[in-house]
Amino acid sequence: MSIPYWRLSGFYFFYFATVGTFIPYWGLYLKESGFNPVQIGELSAILNGTRIFSPILWGWIADHTGRNLRIIRIATFFTAAFFAGFLFIHGYFWFAWITAAFSIFWNASLPQFEAVTLYHLKTKAHHYSRIRLWGSIGFIVSVLGVGRLLDDQPPDIIPIAITVIMTLIWVVSLMTPAIQAPHHQAAVGIKQILKKPELWAFLVVYMLLQLAHSPYYVFYSIYLKHYQYTPSLTGFLWSLAVFSEIVLFIYMRRLLKRFSLRTILLCSILLAVVRWLIIAWCVDYFWLLLLAQFLHAATFGGVHVAAIHLVHLYFGDRHQGKGQALYTSLTFGLGGMIGSYYSGYYWESFGAQFVYSMAAVFCSMAFVIAYVWVGRESSQDKAVLS
């Protein structure tokens, strides 16, 4: 492939190294800083709430200017600059404002980089998983490294580590070559695309899946700490989940040739139901937690690859920036915000078992909608893999 493989992969590596530091340990940092579960849920909801409008705004600008990479460079620079504010401020009010400021830019970069990656791949979209797996590797490196550091160091190292890695994301974006979005093919109008019922069913499915994942992202480390799991062991469980995701990415091209996107999506959702029930009711059984983390290959990896291919299919090259942005806004944004709020408010009043059991319920709802409406035409899969 005549593509900048290592530079594209490097962006994913550092982006998800940031995620691997932020998601498992930021809740612990907030708890150690004196915030209660409701406040932690609210701060996480602010982070996800900006995803509702930020990706759409930047995606619209990107598709109208064709300057996806310039937007990524601006967004990653201001992400690191604003996040550095956590090194100097204290109190809920300032944490809320800094969270809103940095996340407006943070949530703009990844959807546009997904579009840039697909532009570079052109007709080789099935190679996407081989590039994206470096993001998973970055996640593992950071989650294990920071977990080991937290065994001996105070949680104050967390915002320092995140600021450094965010700066490296910006540096890699400067090294990535720009590519103009293709305009040679006749483009279907965005209004026609948005009239498709299957598209909205797809978005509702992924919103429900992200709603189910939110208590995992926000409270899983806190949950494990309550049951006396050490930071190193917590980091190991997080990294095990992402390791299973890497294995799936390596073999995803073969899976895409043997199974339809619809089959991969439906099987992944069913396994998500199993995973959340295990986490809800079997936290005392370490071997079952190991199984639950292995299921991350399906509950995140499988559904994510299916989503990227389906968005590429639904929106085409001409509207790829807007498509990735809409997908991010309604799933990670709206779904993540609702999930963060509900898990924060019900964590203490109803308990972790209730919150994670509700995650299984949301996934069950997603399965029904996906089974009825999403990916029923086999020609879609052939279009993706051709």
Side-chain angles (χ1 to χ4, degrees):
M1 295 182 293
S2 57
I3 60 172
Y5 177 84
W6 289 111
R7 283 168 284 182
L8 295 175
S9 300
F11 184 95
Y12 285 108
F13 179 90
F14 288 114
Y15 186 94
F16 286 97
T18 304
V19 175
T21 306
F22 188 91
I23 289 181
Y25 303 118
W26 191 246
L28 290 174
Y29 174 71
L30 294 178
K31 185 174 176 62
E32 292 296 325
S33 298
F35 298 112
N36 60 47
V38 172
Q39 292 172 320
I40 294 173
E42 289 174 348
L43 290 171
S44 299
I46 291 172
L47 175 67
N48 288 303
T50 60
R51 287 184 175 180
I52 297 175
F53 66 89
S54 176
I56 291 178
L57 172 64
W58 292 106
W60 183 87
I61 295 172
D63 278 347
H64 278 74
T65 63
R67 304 292 185 180
N68 301 72
L69 199 59
R70 180 174 296 180
I71 289 172
I72 292 165
R73 290 165 178 167
I74 293 171
T76 52
F77 174 81
F78 282 104
T79 296
F82 278 115
F83 195 90
F86 285 116
L87 302 175
F88 309 102
I89 56 95
H90 302 281
Y92 179 81
F93 175 82
W94 287 110
F95 265 70
W97 276 106
I98 294 295
T99 299
F102 97 82
S103 62
I104 287 173
F105 294 96
W106 172 249
N107 290 325
S109 58
L110 184 60
Q112 297 313 312
F113 200 82
E114 299 277 29
V116 168
T117 300
L118 291 171
Y119 292 152
H120 276 290
L121 291 175
K122 298 176 183 176
T123 60
K124 306 289 186 179
H126 51 277
H127 288 291
Y128 166 82
S129 59
R130 292 299 182 95
I131 294 174
R132 174 58 180 78
L133 70 82
W134 283 98
S136 303
I137 293 172
F139 187 102
I140 289 178
V141 170
S142 64
V143 76
L144 288 177
V146 173
R148 180 64 186 88
L149 285 174
L150 287 174
D151 283 340
D152 304 313
Q153 301 293 326
D156 292 343
I157 67 167
I158 296 174
I160 297 173
I162 294 175
T163 301
V164 170
I165 304 173
M166 283 181 168
T167 303
L168 292 173
I169 299 172
W170 173 64
V171 172
V172 173
S173 74
L174 297 177
M175 299 167 59
T176 304
I179 184 169
Q180 189 72 23
H183 294 284
H184 59 274
Q185 63 184 35
V188 178
I190 188 67
K191 291 183 180 179
Q192 292 177 265
I193 296 173
L194 294 177
K195 289 179 181 179
K196 296 179 180 179
E198 180 179 340
L199 170 64
W200 290 101
F202 159 79
L203 292 172
V204 170
V205 166
Y206 275 84
M207 184 187 71
L208 289 168
L209 293 176
Q210 185 59 33
L211 200 159
H213 273 79
S214 292
Y216 172 70
Y217 294 144
V218 179
F219 288 107
Y220 187 63
S221 294
I222 296 174
Y223 184 46
L224 294 179
K225 184 176 181 180
H226 177 75
Y227 284 90
Q228 308 303 314
Y229 288 86
T230 65
S232 290
L233 193 53
T234 298
F236 169 75
L237 287 170
W238 279 97
S239 63
L240 184 65
V242 182
F243 173 77
S244 67
E245 172 189 312
I246 292 173
V247 174
L248 181 72
F249 284 149
I250 291 173
Y251 290 99
M252 181 54 73
R253 184 181 177 185
R254 298 180 188 177
L255 291 175
L256 287 171
K257 288 183 176 180
R258 293 192 60 185
F259 303 102
S260 67
L261 292 176
R262 173 180 169 81
T263 300
I264 292 172
L265 177 60
L266 292 176
C267 290
S268 297
I269 296 174
L270 283 178
L271 291 173
V273 175
V274 175
R275 185 187 186 196
W276 303 133
L277 290 176
I278 290 175
I279 290 177
W281 300 100
C282 303
V283 67
D284 288 320
Y285 299 94
F286 182 66
W287 68 274
L288 284 175
L289 282 187
L290 293 176
L291 173 61
Q293 295 305 85
F294 275 119
L295 291 178
H296 187 78
T299 66
F300 175 80
V303 298
H304 177 70
V305 171
I308 294 300
H309 284 304
L310 286 169
V311 170
H312 188 242
L313 175 68
Y314 291 140
F315 289 90
D317 289 327
R318 182 64 182 87
H319 301 291
Q320 194 59 209
K322 288 190 284 288
Q324 294 291 345
L326 181 64
Y327 162 68
T328 300
S329 297
L330 294 184
T331 59
F332 293 96
L334 183 59
M337 184 184 70
I338 296 172
S340 297
Y341 265 124
Y342 103 83
S343 59
Y345 276 99
Y346 292 125
W347 189 263
E348 287 190 336
S349 56
F350 289 93
Q353 284 76 20
F354 171 83
V355 172
Y356 287 120
S357 295
M358 285 303 300
V361 172
F362 294 136
C363 287
S364 299
M365 295 167 59
F367 178 84
V368 173
I369 297 172
Y371 183 81
V372 175
W373 280 291
V374 178
R376 299 191 70 90
E377 296 183 12
S378 60
S379 60
Q380 290 182 338
D381 300 294
K382 294 177 182 178
V384 171
L385 298 175
S386 62

